[in-house]
Amino acid sequence: MLFKRRLSLKKADAKVSNLAGDLRDEKQKSDIILNSIDDGVLLIDSQMTIQLFNPAAAKITGWPTAETTGIDVSQVIRCVTEKGEPIEAAQHPVREAFTTKKPFRDNNAILLSRSSKQIPITISVSPLLDQSDNMYGAVAVIRDVTQERLEEKQRAEFISTASHEMRTPVAAIEGYLQLALNDKVSKIDAKARDFLVKALDSTHHLGQLFQDLLTSAKAEDGRLVSHPTVVELGAYVEQLADSFKFSAEKKGLTTDFIFGRSSDSDITQGGDRVLRPLYYVHVDPDRLREVITNLFDNAVKYTPSGNVSVGVTGNNDVVQLFVRDTGPGIMAEDVPHLFQKFYRVDNSATRTIGGTGLGLFICRKIIELYHGRIWVESEVGKGSTFYINLPRLGTARAEELQRAEAQSMAPRPISSLTTPV
Ligand code: ADP
């Protein structure tokens, strides 16, 4: 009996020592991982102070591990804007995770190292929640992406230079093909004409591809030229309506143009004249035309029969433009990728209809320039609606800006031209 008890005590001791060994092993394993990975890992407590700071985090930030324990995370992970100005406290990635209690990721953050060097990083913060959903800390992972950014920049520069250089010979080929097809300049038979028309079509497509590549490369590295002015979106779309109607009717599609909502803020004057609301926005009209034309062309391109409508509406803060079609619609799984570079839905329609997959990417980049948002709502078999929201300028502010624009364009009086400035 005594022997049996001793045996079971021995067994229990062995279990405890195994467990301690296992735990030691586990700690060793996690220490090995934390000390050897290239990503900076931080354990942050509920007061947002640092409790663990691995060697990679020390290397990226320039802060020795020993000096970081117990320090507020925002003093060590100092995030700044592209201009090097500190971001607002509420926008700090760790603060965002604490506020929302949800994982937060920023792929384009800029860290100010201890020696005030700007380092592009990605940062992801995962909240630690107990069973009652209380947040007792967070784990942040940071990665130095200096090399990736440099390579991206070099790639974009290459694409930009190559497409710029290739546009010139393509334009020359296009010009000569047009001359060959011109009755007044060349005599060709029907078969040759047919070949040349096809060659011209493809050359045009190639030129468009180079143009799109150039625009997207510029959009990515912030070199997109933009001269924003005050634009009244209703009148602006009305101007474009005729050419839109023409291209849709050529394909047998009907069109509608819808401005404002009758229930919104329309004013009736003198009984029958209806003034629609003025939807002012501050954008470069040429850039905006690129976006609206792209959405309209897509709607026509992907809609075999039916209707395409374009509308402008809004509320006090936002002006909304939409392009709606009765085409095939877009599957839900494709929707999140639609505004990414080179994304084309893989179906029989896109296999036969030409395209580059750059149009919607460029649209998004342009709309983001003006702090707007672009998205799509779609139902397979029923059609798609592409929406753009832009910040609305109040009429008084729009008129003030218009006056300032007119003044800056006006010729200066002779006296001011002769006065040295
Ligand atoms: P593309 O040059 O291929 O038209 P876009 O970036 O303009 O490139 O569009 C990306 C993809 O989105 C298209 O290939 C197409 O599959 C889908 N798409 C865009 N607009 C529509 C639409 N109105 N209806 C259905 N699919 C559309």
PDB file of all heavy atoms in Angstrom, residues 350-365:
ATOM      1  N   THR A 350     -15.644  38.990 -70.710  1.00  0.00           N
ATOM      2  CA  THR A 350     -14.352  39.692 -70.690  1.00  0.00           C
ATOM      3  C   THR A 350     -13.322  39.018 -71.596  1.00  0.00           C
ATOM      4  O   THR A 350     -12.372  39.658 -72.027  1.00  0.00           O
ATOM      5  CB  THR A 350     -13.783  39.806 -69.258  1.00  0.00           C
ATOM      6  OG1 THR A 350     -13.966  38.576 -68.602  1.00  0.00           O
ATOM      7  CG2 THR A 350     -14.402  40.927 -68.490  1.00  0.00           C
ATOM      8  N   ARG A 351     -13.537  37.709 -71.865  1.00  0.00           N
ATOM      9  CA  ARG A 351     -12.585  37.039 -72.759  1.00  0.00           C
ATOM     10  C   ARG A 351     -12.761  37.537 -74.189  1.00  0.00           C
ATOM     11  O   ARG A 351     -11.828  37.568 -74.958  1.00  0.00           O
ATOM     12  CB  ARG A 351     -12.751  35.518 -72.673  1.00  0.00           C
ATOM     13  CG  ARG A 351     -11.700  34.909 -71.724  1.00  0.00           C
ATOM     14  CD  ARG A 351     -11.910  33.433 -71.512  1.00  0.00           C
ATOM     15  NE  ARG A 351     -12.458  33.188 -70.182  1.00  0.00           N
ATOM     16  CZ  ARG A 351     -13.479  32.402 -69.912  1.00  0.00           C
ATOM     17  NH1 ARG A 351     -14.105  31.785 -70.880  1.00  0.00           N
ATOM     18  NH2 ARG A 351     -13.900  32.239 -68.677  1.00  0.00           N
ATOM     19  N   THR A 352     -13.984  37.950 -74.527  1.00  0.00           N
ATOM     20  CA  THR A 352     -14.183  38.437 -75.904  1.00  0.00           C
ATOM     21  C   THR A 352     -14.100  39.963 -75.982  1.00  0.00           C
ATOM     22  O   THR A 352     -13.735  40.507 -77.009  1.00  0.00           O
ATOM     23  CB  THR A 352     -15.554  37.983 -76.459  1.00  0.00           C
ATOM     24  OG1 THR A 352     -16.543  38.304 -75.470  1.00  0.00           O
ATOM     25  CG2 THR A 352     -15.590  36.503 -76.753  1.00  0.00           C
ATOM     26  N   ILE A 353     -14.415  40.657 -74.869  1.00  0.00           N
ATOM     27  CA  ILE A 353     -14.368  42.122 -74.898  1.00  0.00           C
ATOM     28  C   ILE A 353     -12.981  42.570 -74.445  1.00  0.00           C
ATOM     29  O   ILE A 353     -12.526  42.180 -73.371  1.00  0.00           O
ATOM     30  CB  ILE A 353     -15.454  42.722 -73.971  1.00  0.00           C
ATOM     31  CG1 ILE A 353     -16.843  42.265 -74.424  1.00  0.00           C
ATOM     32  CG2 ILE A 353     -15.384  44.241 -73.949  1.00  0.00           C
ATOM     33  CD1 ILE A 353     -17.954  42.585 -73.463  1.00  0.00           C
ATOM     34  N   GLY A 354     -12.341  43.404 -75.255  1.00  0.00           N
ATOM     35  CA  GLY A 354     -10.979  43.847 -74.933  1.00  0.00           C
ATOM     36  C   GLY A 354     -10.948  44.776 -73.719  1.00  0.00           C
ATOM     37  O   GLY A 354     -11.932  45.445 -73.403  1.00  0.00           O
ATOM     38  N   GLY A 355      -9.829  44.784 -73.036  1.00  0.00           N
ATOM     39  CA  GLY A 355      -9.683  45.680 -71.878  1.00  0.00           C
ATOM     40  C   GLY A 355      -8.353  45.431 -71.209  1.00  0.00           C
ATOM     41  O   GLY A 355      -7.689  44.426 -71.488  1.00  0.00           O
ATOM     42  N   THR A 356      -7.974  46.353 -70.340  1.00  0.00           N
ATOM     43  CA  THR A 356      -6.661  46.236 -69.703  1.00  0.00           C
ATOM     44  C   THR A 356      -6.764  45.928 -68.210  1.00  0.00           C
ATOM     45  O   THR A 356      -5.787  45.532 -67.589  1.00  0.00           O
ATOM     46  CB  THR A 356      -5.891  47.561 -69.836  1.00  0.00           C
ATOM     47  OG1 THR A 356      -6.655  48.587 -69.182  1.00  0.00           O
ATOM     48  CG2 THR A 356      -5.670  47.933 -71.283  1.00  0.00           C
ATOM     49  N   GLY A 357      -7.931  46.149 -67.632  1.00  0.00           N
ATOM     50  CA  GLY A 357      -8.074  45.975 -66.185  1.00  0.00           C
ATOM     51  C   GLY A 357      -7.457  47.128 -65.409  1.00  0.00           C
ATOM     52  O   GLY A 357      -7.248  47.030 -64.198  1.00  0.00           O
ATOM     53  N   LEU A 358      -7.174  48.236 -66.112  1.00  0.00           N
ATOM     54  CA  LEU A 358      -6.560  49.382 -65.425  1.00  0.00           C
ATOM     55  C   LEU A 358      -7.562  50.521 -65.199  1.00  0.00           C
ATOM     56  O   LEU A 358      -7.349  51.387 -64.360  1.00  0.00           O
ATOM     57  CB  LEU A 358      -5.390  49.926 -66.259  1.00  0.00           C
ATOM     58  CG  LEU A 358      -4.104  49.112 -66.204  1.00  0.00           C
ATOM     59  CD1 LEU A 358      -3.122  49.580 -67.254  1.00  0.00           C
ATOM     60  CD2 LEU A 358      -3.474  49.220 -64.817  1.00  0.00           C
ATOM     61  N   GLY A 359      -8.668  50.490 -65.971  1.00  0.00           N
ATOM     62  CA  GLY A 359      -9.616  51.605 -65.941  1.00  0.00           C
ATOM     63  C   GLY A 359     -10.138  51.928 -64.546  1.00  0.00           C
ATOM     64  O   GLY A 359     -10.045  53.072 -64.078  1.00  0.00           O
ATOM     65  N   LEU A 360     -10.663  50.909 -63.852  1.00  0.00           N
ATOM     66  CA  LEU A 360     -11.271  51.176 -62.543  1.00  0.00           C
ATOM     67  C   LEU A 360     -10.221  51.519 -61.498  1.00  0.00           C
ATOM     68  O   LEU A 360     -10.481  52.278 -60.562  1.00  0.00           O
ATOM     69  CB  LEU A 360     -12.113  49.979 -62.086  1.00  0.00           C
ATOM     70  CG  LEU A 360     -13.388  49.736 -62.902  1.00  0.00           C
ATOM     71  CD1 LEU A 360     -14.124  48.507 -62.396  1.00  0.00           C
ATOM     72  CD2 LEU A 360     -14.315  50.955 -62.840  1.00  0.00           C
ATOM     73  N   PHE A 361      -9.005  50.962 -61.665  1.00  0.00           N
ATOM     74  CA  PHE A 361      -7.903  51.305 -60.751  1.00  0.00           C
ATOM     75  C   PHE A 361      -7.594  52.802 -60.878  1.00  0.00           C
ATOM     76  O   PHE A 361      -7.474  53.515 -59.867  1.00  0.00           O
ATOM     77  CB  PHE A 361      -6.675  50.459 -61.101  1.00  0.00           C
ATOM     78  CG  PHE A 361      -5.424  50.875 -60.386  1.00  0.00           C
ATOM     79  CD1 PHE A 361      -5.248  50.568 -59.054  1.00  0.00           C
ATOM     80  CD2 PHE A 361      -4.425  51.594 -61.041  1.00  0.00           C
ATOM     81  CE1 PHE A 361      -4.097  50.957 -58.374  1.00  0.00           C
ATOM     82  CE2 PHE A 361      -3.276  51.984 -60.380  1.00  0.00           C
ATOM     83  CZ  PHE A 361      -3.108  51.669 -59.044  1.00  0.00           C
ATOM     84  N   ILE A 362      -7.514  53.275 -62.134  1.00  0.00           N
ATOM     85  CA  ILE A 362      -7.221  54.695 -62.356  1.00  0.00           C
ATOM     86  C   ILE A 362      -8.374  55.557 -61.795  1.00  0.00           C
ATOM     87  O   ILE A 362      -8.140  56.575 -61.153  1.00  0.00           O
ATOM     88  CB  ILE A 362      -6.984  54.977 -63.859  1.00  0.00           C
ATOM     89  CG1 ILE A 362      -5.702  54.262 -64.309  1.00  0.00           C
ATOM     90  CG2 ILE A 362      -6.901  56.461 -64.156  1.00  0.00           C
ATOM     91  CD1 ILE A 362      -5.452  54.272 -65.809  1.00  0.00           C
ATOM     92  N   CYS A 363      -9.616  55.091 -62.022  1.00  0.00           N
ATOM     93  CA  CYS A 363     -10.783  55.839 -61.497  1.00  0.00           C
ATOM     94  C   CYS A 363     -10.642  56.010 -59.976  1.00  0.00           C
ATOM     95  O   CYS A 363     -10.838  57.090 -59.437  1.00  0.00           O
ATOM     96  CB  CYS A 363     -12.085  55.080 -61.769  1.00  0.00           C
ATOM     97  SG  CYS A 363     -12.569  55.092 -63.478  1.00  0.00           S
ATOM     98  N   ARG A 364     -10.298  54.896 -59.291  1.00  0.00           N
ATOM     99  CA  ARG A 364     -10.195  54.970 -57.821  1.00  0.00           C
ATOM    100  C   ARG A 364      -9.112  55.950 -57.410  1.00  0.00           C
ATOM    101  O   ARG A 364      -9.319  56.783 -56.519  1.00  0.00           O
ATOM    102  CB  ARG A 364      -9.907  53.580 -57.242  1.00  0.00           C
ATOM    103  CG  ARG A 364      -9.594  53.591 -55.755  1.00  0.00           C
ATOM    104  CD  ARG A 364      -9.606  52.207 -55.155  1.00  0.00           C
ATOM    105  NE  ARG A 364      -8.509  51.376 -55.577  1.00  0.00           N
ATOM    106  CZ  ARG A 364      -7.285  51.387 -55.038  1.00  0.00           C
ATOM    107  NH1 ARG A 364      -7.008  52.221 -54.057  1.00  0.00           N
ATOM    108  NH2 ARG A 364      -6.354  50.582 -55.485  1.00  0.00           N
ATOM    109  N   LYS A 365      -7.968  55.881 -58.088  1.00  0.00           N
ATOM    110  CA  LYS A 365      -6.851  56.760 -57.726  1.00  0.00           C
ATOM    111  C   LYS A 365      -7.248  58.226 -57.905  1.00  0.00           C
ATOM    112  O   LYS A 365      -6.904  59.081 -57.090  1.00  0.00           O
ATOM    113  CB  LYS A 365      -5.615  56.433 -58.580  1.00  0.00           C
ATOM    114  CG  LYS A 365      -4.928  55.167 -58.157  1.00  0.00           C
ATOM    115  CD  LYS A 365      -4.274  55.402 -56.816  1.00  0.00           C
ATOM    116  CE  LYS A 365      -3.536  54.207 -56.288  1.00  0.00           C
ATOM    117  NZ  LYS A 365      -2.973  54.427 -54.976  1.00  0.00           N
TER     118      LYS A 365
END
